[in-house]
C-alpha cells in the first residue's frame, strides 16, 4: 500500500482574469477533484470541483461573488484525492472555518459531503489538521486546530455532517411537522436519545434548515440525502408562501449555562439569530400569536411550578396570557400552549434534580386532550464517547448492580485511581496536550468559597489564602469560580466542576470524584446515598429514597462527558472497592516497563564497568537501606548488586534498589517487589512516592521500625522568612491502611529516595 503524502499544494491567485490565466497553467487545474477557497479579509467561501479552471471562470461571472468583493482564490490538492475525499474535505473545512469565526462564511449549507465511508477515510481525515496548520502561511488568519475543534462553535455547528440515523429522525420530524400544519392541528415529536447521541446537533441543524430554506434548496444541499429531502424543503417553502410569512420558530434551552454558550453559536451562524434562542421564562415575551415550532433541548430539565425560584412571576404572567391555570401548569404545559408544534429532545436518565418533571408528568403534558398523539423517535448510536454503546451499557449495569463481567472498553481510556491527586494531575496532563479535559465531582461538599469569589480571582489565589471547598486526604480543591461557561473558562482546569457546569458539554477527558454522598452496600448489593453529605439545595427537604435516583443519575451523566476517556476516584472505600471490580486501576508509570521474575539476577560482587551501567546497589531489606546512603561504602557486606539491564535504559550513580514488604502501596507496589529509588538531594517531594527513614515511624507492613515507602504529602504556609510546613503525611495507596501524620517540627525523619521504577517480584 502506498504511503500517504501529508503535504498539500496550495496555490493562491488574485480573484480576477489575470489570476484565472495563471491558474489555467498549473497542474490538475482541469479534470481533477480539488477543494478551493475564495476570500477577502473578512468573508470566505469554500467549494469543490473537478475542474478548477472552469469553476474559477464561473465564479468571476457570479453576481453574488462580485458583491462580496473577493480578492483571492486558493486551489488546494496533493494529487492523491478522489471525489469522495474532496467532498469530505469541503464539508470539514466549512465546519472548521465556521467555528474559527474570523471569516463570515457565504456557504449556506454544509457542502455536499456524503456521510458514507469510503476507502481509507480515516487516513485521509487525519490529514485535515496538517492542512489547517499550513493555511496561515498562505495569508489566512486562523486559530489553532485544537482551539477550533474544542470550541462550542465547532461541536454545535449546523455545518456538521449528520449520520444516517440522525437524517432519518430529522426527515420523519419534518414530515410530521408539515402534515400537522397542513391539517391545522397541533402536534409533538419526542426525540429520545441518551447522552452523546447528538440531540443538540440535530436540534440546531433543524432550526438552521427552517431558517435557511431558500439557501438550502438553491445550493443543492440535499444531493447527498435523497429526493424526499428536497421535497420536504420545497413543501415548507410553499407553506411559507401560503401563510404569507416565514415559519416562526424558537429554540429553548432550559439550562441557563447551556443557553449562554449557544448564544455565540447562533450569533455567528448565517441565518440564525440570538433572539431565536430562549429559556423557559422569556419564551413568550413580546410574542404575538403562536410559534409554528418550538424546539426544546434537554426537555428532561423542564420544571414544576414550585421549583422555578425567581422566575415564578414571569411564569404566572405567561400562564395568564395563554389561559393556563398557574397552580397546576408546568413549563412544558406553557410551551405546549404557545406553539403549534413541538420537538422535544428527551432523556429520562439525565433528569438530575427533583425540580425536573417526572417521566409521568412529561407523558401527561404531551398527551393532553386536543393534541394529536405524539410521535416518538429514537437516537441510539453513541457519537460522543469513543467507548460507544458498550461503555454506556457497562456503566448502567454497574450502577444497576447487575454484576457485569469485567471487560476492557475498546478505544476508550477508562480507569479508577487510588489517589485523588494522581487523577487530578493526569487530567491536567491530558489537558496540556489536547485541551478540554476537566475534573468534576458530585455535590458532596459545601460551596464555601462562593462568598469570596470576585471577577478575576483564581482557584490558586483562593488556595493561597487557605480558602477551599474540598479536602480529600489533605488535597484541597475549589469549586468552579464562574457560573456560566465554566467548561471553556480559562481557569477551569484548576477547579472542580459539578453536574450543573458540565451537563450538555463534551470533554476530551473527564475525571470524576465520587464524593462521600454515594457509597456501595456489599450486604444488599446496592448503590446507596448519604443525604447528610449532599449539599445541593434541592435535596434539603427530600426523603433519602427519593433523592437517590437524582444523585446516581448526576454521577452517570458526568461519567459519559468524556470523548476519549473517563477517570474515576471514590472517597468511600466500599464504593472504591466495588468500582475496582469492573474498572482497571491506574498504575503510575515510572518508566516504560516492569521487570519479570525470570530476569531478576542478584550477585554479591560485580566488576567496576557494570556498576551503575547494568547493575545497581541492592539492600536486601528496607532496614539495611535506612542509613545516610552517602556514607554506605559500595563494598559493605550488607549490600548486593541487582542486574537491571533488561529493565532500565539509563541507570546512574544516584540509584539504588530495596525490596518492599507488605501491601500498603498496592496496586503500584506489591509485597516483595523490587523498588528502584533515586537518592533524594533536595527540592519538592510533594506527590512523590518516597523511601523515608525515621525513629518515630512504625510501619504496619513489617517489624521494621526505621523506614517505610509511602506517598509524600505536605501543606505549607508563607512566613516572614519564606515558608514552613503546617502538616506532613505519608499516605498509603491501599485504602485499607491509614496515613502516617508526622510532626513538621520532628527532625528525626529523612527522605532517602524518590521512586523511579518498580520491578515485579
Amino acid at each position: 500500500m502506498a504511503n500517504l503524502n501529508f503535504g498539500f499544494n496550495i496555490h493562491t491567485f488574485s480573484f480576477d482574469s489575470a489570476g484565472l490565466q495563471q491558474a489555467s497553467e498549473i497542474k490538475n487545474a482541469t479534470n481533477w477533484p480539488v477543494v478551493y477557497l475564495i476570500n477577502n479579509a473578512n468573508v470566505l467561501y469554500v467549494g469543490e470541483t473537478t475542474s478548477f479552471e472552469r469553476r474559477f471562470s464561473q465564479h468571476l461571472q457570479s453576481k453574488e461573488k462580485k458583491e462580496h468583493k473577493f480578492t483571492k482564490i486558493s486551489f488546494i490538492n496533493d494529487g492523491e484525492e478522489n471525489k469522495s475525499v474532496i467532498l469530505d474535505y469541503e464539508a470539514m473545512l466549512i465546519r472548521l472555518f465556521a467555528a474559527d469565526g474570523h471569516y463570515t462564511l457565504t456557504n449556506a449549507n454544509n457542502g455536499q459531503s456524503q456521510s458514507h465511508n469510503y476507502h481509507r477515510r480515516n487516513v485521509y481525515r487525519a490529514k485535515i489538521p496538517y492542512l489547517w496548520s499550513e493555511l496561515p502561511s498562505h495569508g489566512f488568519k486562523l486559530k489553532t486546530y485544537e482551539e477550533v475543534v474544542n470550541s462550542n462553535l465547532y461541536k454545535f455547528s449546523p455545518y456538521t455532517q449528520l449520520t444516517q440515523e440522525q437524517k432519518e429522525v430529522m426527515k420523519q420530524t419534518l414530515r410530521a411537522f408539515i402534515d400537522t400544519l397542513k391539517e391545522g392541528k397541533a402536534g409533538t415529536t419526542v426525540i429520545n436519545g441518551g447522552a452523546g447521541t447528538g440531540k443538540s446537533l440535530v436540534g440546531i441543524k433543524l432550526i438552521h434548515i427552517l431558517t435557511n430554506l431558500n439557501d438550502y434548496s438553491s445550493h443543492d444541499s440535499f444531493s447527498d440525502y435523497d429526493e424526499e429531502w428536497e421535497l420536504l424543503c420545497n413543501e415548507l417553502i410553499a407553506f411559507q408562501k401560503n401563510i404569507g410569512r416565514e415559519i416562526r420558530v424558537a429554540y429553548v434551552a432550559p439550562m441557563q449555562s447551556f443557553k449562554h454558550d449557544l448564544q455565540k453559536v447562533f450569533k455567528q451562524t448565517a441565518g440564525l439569530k440570538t433572539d431565536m434562542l430562549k429559556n423557559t421564562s422569556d419564551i413568550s415575551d413580546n410574542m404575538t400569536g403562536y410559534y409554528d415550532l418550538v424546539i426544546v433541548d434537554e426537555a428532561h430539565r423542564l420544571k414544576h411550578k414550585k421549583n422555578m425560584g425567581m422566575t415564578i412571576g414571569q411564569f404566572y404572567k405567561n400562564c395568564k396570557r395563554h389561559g393556563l391555570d398557574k397552580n397546576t401548569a408546568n413549563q412544558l404545559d406553557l410551551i405546549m400552549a404557545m406553539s403549534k408544534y413541538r420537538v422535544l429532545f428527551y432523556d429520562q436518565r439525565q433528569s438530575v434534580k427533583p425540580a425536573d418533571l417526572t417521566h409521568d408528568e412529561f407523558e401527561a403534558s404531551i398527551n393532553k386532550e386536543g393534541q394529536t398523539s405524539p410521535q416518538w423517535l429514537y437516537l441510539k448510536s453513541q457519537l460522543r464517547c469513543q467507548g460507544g454503546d458498550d461503555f454506556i451499557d457497562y456503566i448502567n449495569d454497574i450502577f444497576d448492580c447487575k454484576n457485569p463481567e469485567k471487560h476492557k472498553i475498546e478505544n476508550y481510556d477508562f480507569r479508577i485511581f487510588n489517589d485523588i491527586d494522581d487523577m487530578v494531575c493526569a487530567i491536567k496532563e491530558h489537558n496540556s496536550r489536547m485541551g478540554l479535559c476537566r475534573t468534576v465531582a458530585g455535590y458532596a461538599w459545601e460551596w464555601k468559597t462562593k462568598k469570596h469569589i470576585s471577577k478575576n480571582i483564581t482557584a490558586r489565589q483562593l488556595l493561597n489564602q487557605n480558602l477551599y471547598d474540598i479536602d480529600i486526604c489533605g488535597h484541597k480543591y475549589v469549586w468552579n469560580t464562574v457560573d456560566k461557561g465554566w467548561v471553556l473558562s480559562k481557569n477551569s482546569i484548576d477547579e472542580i466542576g459539578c453536574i450543573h457546569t458540565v451537563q450538555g458539554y463534551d470533554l476530551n477527558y473527564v475525571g470524576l470524584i465520587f464524593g462521600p454522598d454515594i457509597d456501595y452496600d456489599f450486604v444488599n448489593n446496592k448503590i446507596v446515598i448519604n443525604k447528610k453529605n449532599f449539599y445541593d439545595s434541592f435535596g434539603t427537604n427530600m426523603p433519602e429514597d427519593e433523592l437517590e435516583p437524582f444523585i446516581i443519575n448526576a454521577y452517570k451523566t458526568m461519567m459519559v462527558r468524556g470523548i476519549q476517556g473517563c477517570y474515576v476516584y471514590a472517597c468511600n472505600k466500599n464504593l472504591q472497592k466495588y468500582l475496582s471490580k469492573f474498572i482497571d486501576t491506574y498504575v503510575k508509570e515510572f518508566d516504560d516497563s516492569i521487570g519479570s521474575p525470570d530476569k531478576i539476577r542478584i550477585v554479591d560482587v560485580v566488576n567496576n564497568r557494570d556498576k551503575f551501567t547494568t547493575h545497581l546497589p541492592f539492600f536486601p531489606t528496607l532496614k539495611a537501606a535506612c542509613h545516610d546512603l552517602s556514607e554506605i561504602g559500595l563494598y559493605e557486606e550488607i549490600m548486593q548488586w541487582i542486574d537491571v539491564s533488561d529493565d532500565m535504559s539509563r541507570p546512574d550513580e544516584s540509584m539504588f534498589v530495596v525490596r518492599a514488604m507488605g501491601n500498603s502501596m498496592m496496586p503500584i507496589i506489591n509485597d516483595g517487589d523490587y523498588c528502584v529509588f533515586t537518592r533524594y538531594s533536595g527540592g519538592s517531594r510533594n506527590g512523590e512516592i518516597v523511601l523515608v527513614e525515621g525513629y518515630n515511624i512504625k510501619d504496619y507492613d513489617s517489624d521494621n521500625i526505621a523506614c517505610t515507602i509511602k506517598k509524600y504529602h505536605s501543606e505549607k504556609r508563607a512566613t516572614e522568612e519564606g515558608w514552613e510546613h503546617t502538616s506532613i503525611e505519608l499516605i498509603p495507596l491501599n485504602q485499607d491502611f491509614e496515613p502516617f501524620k508526622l510532626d513538621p517540627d520532628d527532625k528525626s525523619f529523612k527522605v532517602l529516595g524518590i521512586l523511579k521504577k518498580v520491578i515485579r517480584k
Side-chain angles (χ1 to χ4, degrees):
M1 182 178 293
N3 291 327
L4 195 65
N5 171 28
F6 276 76
F8 285 87
N9 298 313
I10 303 176
H11 302 279
T12 300
F13 310 96
S14 59
F15 190 65
D16 53 29
S17 57
L20 176 59
Q21 178 61 38
Q22 290 178 320
S24 66
E25 299 172 1
I26 66 170
K27 184 181 178 181
N28 296 337
T30 59
N31 298 321
W32 193 266
V34 299
V35 65
Y36 61 90
L37 311 172
I38 313 176
N39 69 290
N40 57 31
N42 302 304
V43 182
L44 182 138
Y45 175 82
V46 183
E48 61 79 29
T49 182
T50 55
S51 178
F52 177 66
E53 181 182 0
R54 176 178 55 80
R55 194 69 175 126
F56 190 167
S57 178
Q58 291 172 343
H59 282 309
L60 284 177
Q61 305 306 314
S62 167
K63 180 180 177 181
E64 179 188 0
K65 298 299 186 290
K66 290 178 181 178
E67 289 175 351
H68 287 302
K69 297 181 180 180
F70 287 125
T71 58
K72 66 178 184 178
I73 183 169
S74 299
F75 161 103
I76 303 170
N77 90 311
D78 66 1
E80 292 185 345
E81 301 94 340
N82 54 47
K83 183 68 173 179
S84 293
V85 176
I86 289 302
L87 289 173
D88 210 12
Y89 282 2
E90 179 198 28
M92 294 177 73
L93 284 171
I94 289 173
R95 186 179 177 189
L96 285 165
F97 275 110
D100 178 84
H102 177 79
Y103 297 94
T104 299
L105 273 181
T106 62
N107 298 74
N109 58 32
N110 66 322
Q112 300 180 41
S113 174
Q114 300 182 7
S115 59
H116 67 268
N117 281 322
Y118 54 82
H119 181 55
R120 303 180 77 194
R121 185 183 192 187
N122 290 337
V123 179
Y124 279 106
R125 282 193 161 193
K127 298 171 67 175
I128 285 292
Y130 293 87
L131 171 58
W132 190 258
S133 67
E134 288 186 27
L135 289 175
S137 64
H138 293 269
F140 292 92
K141 296 181 179 179
L142 303 172
K143 297 174 183 174
T144 67
Y145 181 80
E146 289 73 19
E147 287 177 303
V148 174
V149 297
N150 284 334
S151 69
N152 283 331
L153 275 170
Y154 183 83
K155 295 178 184 300
F156 299 120
S157 170
Y159 302 113
T160 304
Q161 301 171 61
L162 300 183
T163 65
Q164 191 61 40
E165 179 185 61
Q166 291 171 330
K167 286 187 288 188
E168 287 301 316
V169 164
M170 280 190 59
K171 187 192 301 182
Q172 293 179 58
T173 299
L174 286 173
R175 170 50 59 201
F177 171 54
I178 293 169
D179 291 346
T180 302
L181 289 183
K182 285 181 176 179
E183 295 170 3
K185 297 180 180 179
T188 303
T189 290
V190 180
I191 300 178
N192 189 297
T197 54
K199 298 187 297 296
S200 297
L201 181 59
V202 172
I204 292 170
K205 182 71 173 182
L206 181 60
I207 193 173
H208 192 249
I209 289 176
L210 291 170
T211 54
N212 293 275
L213 286 171
N214 290 319
D215 288 334
Y216 266 87
S217 58
S218 66
H219 282 78
D220 193 26
S221 301
F222 298 106
S223 63
D224 113 30
Y225 291 57
D226 54 38
E227 292 181 1
E228 188 176 356
W229 272 106
E230 191 166 358
L231 177 64
L232 289 168
C233 189
N234 289 327
E235 282 189 63
L236 287 166
I237 292 173
F239 179 78
Q240 287 185 151
K241 290 180 179 179
N242 186 48
I243 63 177
R245 60 172 175 80
E246 293 182 347
I247 293 170
R248 190 178 290 127
V249 61
Y251 193 100
V252 176
M255 296 167 59
Q256 186 64 29
S257 61
F258 190 46
K259 179 196 172 188
H260 174 267
D261 289 326
L262 285 182
Q263 284 177 331
K264 190 173 182 181
V265 178
F266 275 62
K267 183 178 180 179
Q268 294 188 220
T269 301
L272 298 184
K273 300 177 182 178
T274 54
D275 61 5
M276 297 174 179
L277 188 60
K278 306 289 184 181
N279 59 33
T280 49
S281 62
D282 65 12
I283 185 171
S284 66
D285 293 354
N286 303 315
M287 174 66 191
T288 302
Y290 293 84
Y291 287 103
D292 297 301
L293 174 67
V294 173
I295 300 168
V296 184
D297 204 336
E298 308 276 0
H300 42 271
R301 298 305 312 274
L302 294 172
K303 295 181 174 59
H304 310 279
K305 171 187 73 72
K306 65 181 180 180
N307 297 110
M308 294 180 194
M310 296 178 66
T311 64
I312 191 65
Q314 185 63 49
F315 176 76
Y316 285 158
K317 290 180 182 179
N318 292 339
C319 285
K320 183 177 181 180
R321 182 181 297 176
H322 294 280
L324 295 175
D325 182 350
K326 69 178 184 180
N327 296 312
T328 59
N330 57 51
Q331 289 179 339
L332 180 53
D333 292 330
L334 179 59
I335 289 170
M336 300 283 288
M338 62 195 306
S339 58
K340 296 178 182 178
Y341 204 89
R342 285 75 50 184
V343 177
L344 310 175
F345 292 93
Y346 183 72
D347 179 13
Q348 182 184 356
R349 287 180 177 269
Q350 291 193 67
S351 177
V352 296
K353 275 191 171 185
D356 302 338
L357 296 178
T358 66
H359 182 67
D360 289 343
E361 290 170 328
F362 182 87
E363 289 261 22
S365 290
I366 63 175
N367 286 291
K368 292 219 170 144
E369 187 177 352
Q371 301 286 340
T372 58
S373 297
Q375 172 182 238
W376 282 78
L377 302 174
Y378 297 88
L379 293 171
K380 298 179 180 179
S381 299
Q382 176 54 231
L383 303 176
R384 173 197 297 137
C385 172
Q386 292 180 359
D389 297 332
D390 184 27
F391 177 66
I392 305 300
D393 294 341
Y394 195 44
I395 291 302
N396 288 330
D397 287 347
I398 290 172
F399 281 86
D400 290 341
C401 299
K402 293 183 178 179
N403 197 31
E405 182 178 350
K406 181 178 180 180
H407 66 279
K408 183 175 179 61
I409 306 297
E410 293 296 326
N411 303 314
Y412 199 68
D413 189 1
F414 185 33
R415 286 184 280 179
I416 188 167
F417 283 65
N418 287 322
D419 185 282
I420 179 60
D421 203 47
D422 280 347
M423 186 184 81
V424 172
C425 289
I427 291 296
K428 288 182 177 180
E429 183 178 346
H430 283 305
N431 188 71
S432 68
R433 291 188 292 105
M434 66 182 70
L436 213 60
C437 303
R438 301 291 182 265
T439 304
V440 297
Y443 213 145
W445 292 270
E446 187 179 355
W447 195 0
K448 297 176 183 177
T449 60
K450 186 175 184 179
K451 60 185 177 182
H452 299 285
I453 294 175
S454 58
K455 184 176 181 180
N456 295 314
I457 198 164
T458 68
R460 293 180 182 181
Q461 290 170 331
L462 290 169
L463 291 169
N464 287 340
Q465 300 174 48
N466 202 31
L467 298 172
Y468 56 90
D469 301 301
I470 300 169
D471 186 340
I472 303 173
C473 298
H475 298 288
K476 297 177 173 60
Y477 308 101
V478 172
W479 282 122
N480 50 286
T481 57
V482 295
D483 287 327
K484 299 175 183 177
W486 175 78
V487 165
L488 297 177
S489 63
K490 63 180 181 179
N491 297 314
S492 54
I493 188 60
D494 294 319
E495 303 167 359
I496 306 296
C498 67
I499 183 63
H500 308 310
T501 60
V502 296
Q503 189 170 20
Y505 292 92
D506 293 345
L507 301 171
N508 287 322
Y509 269 78
V510 62
L512 175 60
I513 304 169
F514 287 89
D517 59 334
I518 187 168
D519 206 349
Y520 176 74
D521 180 350
F522 277 99
V523 175
N524 297 302
N525 184 31
K526 186 178 187 301
I527 300 292
V528 295
I529 67 161
N530 188 337
K531 181 182 174 181
K532 71 178 183 179
N533 291 327
F534 184 68
Y535 287 89
D536 205 330
S537 58
F538 74 73
T540 304
N541 299 314
M542 286 192 71
E544 199 162 76
D545 60 334
E546 293 181 18
L547 186 61
E548 180 180 293
F550 295 103
I551 293 178
I552 294 174
N553 277 355
Y555 277 112
K556 290 198 293 184
T557 299
M558 288 187 284
M559 286 186 81
V560 298
R561 295 299 99 188
I563 297 171
Q564 300 183 44
C566 172
Y567 293 162
V568 299
Y569 170 88
C571 292
N572 285 321
K573 292 182 179 180
N574 280 356
L575 182 59
Q576 182 79 357
K577 288 182 180 179
Y578 173 70
L579 295 176
S580 295
K581 290 170 55 180
F582 310 106
I583 309 171
D584 287 341
T585 300
Y586 169 84
V587 177
K588 189 172 183 179
E589 296 181 359
F590 301 99
D591 65 16
D592 59 356
S593 65
I594 292 179
S596 56
D598 61 343
K599 295 181 181 179
I600 296 176
R601 296 181 292 274
I602 300 172
V603 296
D604 293 326
V605 179
V606 66
N607 60 55
N608 288 333
R609 71 171 180 274
D610 292 334
K611 294 173 182 175
F612 304 108
T613 55
T614 60
H615 290 68
L616 289 176
F618 168 58
F619 300 92
T621 68
L622 282 175
K623 187 173 183 179
C626 293
H627 301 280
D628 183 347
L629 294 173
S630 63
E631 297 178 357
I632 296 179
L634 294 181
Y635 298 100
E636 296 279 353
E637 62 181 5
I638 59 171
M639 186 178 70
Q640 296 174 305
W641 292 89
I642 185 169
D643 186 348
V644 295
S645 58
D646 292 328
D647 303 303
M648 300 193 72
S649 58
R650 290 188 299 273
D652 60 52
E653 294 188 7
S654 70
M655 297 179 181
F656 62 96
V657 182
V658 297
R659 195 169 190 184
M661 293 182 285
N663 300 310
S664 66
M665 294 300 288
M666 290 178 62
I668 289 180
I669 304 173
N670 297 325
D671 184 28
D673 284 347
Y674 295 86
C675 300
V676 181
F677 288 88
T678 294
R679 298 183 188 184
Y680 176 67
S681 58
S684 176
R685 299 155 291 188
N686 220 15
E688 299 283 1
I689 293 178
V690 296
L691 177 65
V692 180
E693 173 190 27
Y695 296 114
N696 296 323
I697 295 174
K698 171 66 175 178
D699 192 338
Y700 32 61
D701 274 335
S702 70
D703 293 331
N704 181 1
I705 61 171
C707 64
T708 186
I709 301 173
K710 297 291 178 288
K711 182 172 182 177
Y712 185 97
H713 175 74
S714 67
E715 298 287 335
K716 301 175 183 177
R717 67 183 174 196
T719 65
E720 293 182 358
E721 292 78 21
W723 58 267
E724 65 181 9
H725 283 112
T726 57
S727 67
I728 298 175
E729 285 187 305
L730 301 180
I731 302 171
L733 300 185
N734 187 336
Q735 292 192 348
D736 289 335
F737 298 85
E738 297 296 327
F740 293 149
K741 294 185 182 295
L742 302 179
D743 183 351
D745 295 325
D746 183 358
K747 307 302 181 184
S748 67
F749 71 89
K750 180 187 298 182
V751 174
L752 301 177
I754 308 293
L755 185 65
K756 299 299 292 183
K757 169 81 176 178
V758 176
I759 303 174
R760 291 281 181 248
K761 63 181 179 180

